[in-house]
Amino acid sequence: AYEGNTTASHVRRPYDFATGGAGPTSLIRIVSAAALPFDSPGRRFHVLSVAEQAVTYGCEGVGLDASGTGTGTLTRYRAYGFNAVQATAGLGTDKALLADRVSACSFTYAPGVTQRNGLVSMSLTLSAGGESIRLVYEAHVSNVP
């Protein structure tokens, strides 16, 4: 969905959004005459509006100071547009501090295949005064095209 290419060999297609007849019906019309290159076993598709914004979570300055307190931060960045490749720098000024005193942080993704979900794993360790707590969360990512 993040590729800027709309040729027949890519999965992204422009669409026209219009309100249907009476009631809360809506119609999404694919503008491109080119068929999508792959069939979807789950008969699913995703609609991505350019008004939406990509979001990145980043850990910066992670480590411990002499007193055993975390020196890093966890920050959320948004409003920098969609990119085919995840940006790692120049994410703009629209950011929010989510946590400080971060001593360790990791985000990993195991992609899976069309028959199996992917898995995002997140781990965050907060430290202060020589004591630490580690928070871990895992989320399944649907890989059904």
Side-chain angles (χ1 to χ4, degrees):
Y2 302 109
E3 291 180 356
N5 194 330
T6 56
T7 64
S9 63
H10 287 82
V11 296
R12 184 174 170 182
R13 296 290 183 270
Y15 66 91
D16 176 27
F17 180 77
T19 302
T25 353
S26 294
L27 175 68
I28 298 174
R29 188 178 298 114
I30 295 179
V31 178
S32 173
L36 293 172
F38 306 106
D39 187 30
S40 171
R43 302 290 185 234
R44 297 180 183 179
F45 66 94
H46 300 274
V47 176
L48 180 68
S49 168
V50 292
E52 301 286 329
Q53 292 294 321
V55 175
T56 295
Y57 296 90
C59 293
E60 299 163 343
V62 173
L64 288 171
D65 66 12
S67 70
T69 299
T71 58
T73 59
L74 173 63
T75 305
R76 183 195 72 218
Y77 296 90
R78 67 180 202 101
Y80 56 86
F82 289 109
N83 304 302
V85 177
Q86 175 65 46
T88 57
L91 294 176
T93 58
D94 191 350
K95 61 184 181 178
L97 177 66
L98 301 179
D100 61 2
R101 300 181 184 161
V102 177
S103 58
C105 172
S106 70
F107 297 87
T108 57
Y109 175 64
V113 294
T114 55
Q115 296 85 12
R116 181 172 55 86
N117 289 338
L119 183 68
V120 174
S121 301
M122 300 156 274
S123 173
L124 180 70
T125 304
L126 306 174
S127 301
E131 295 184 356
S132 296
I133 184 167
R134 181 174 179 226
L135 309 168
V136 176
Y137 186 76
E138 292 183 328
H140 287 272
V141 178
S142 175
N143 283 337
V144 177

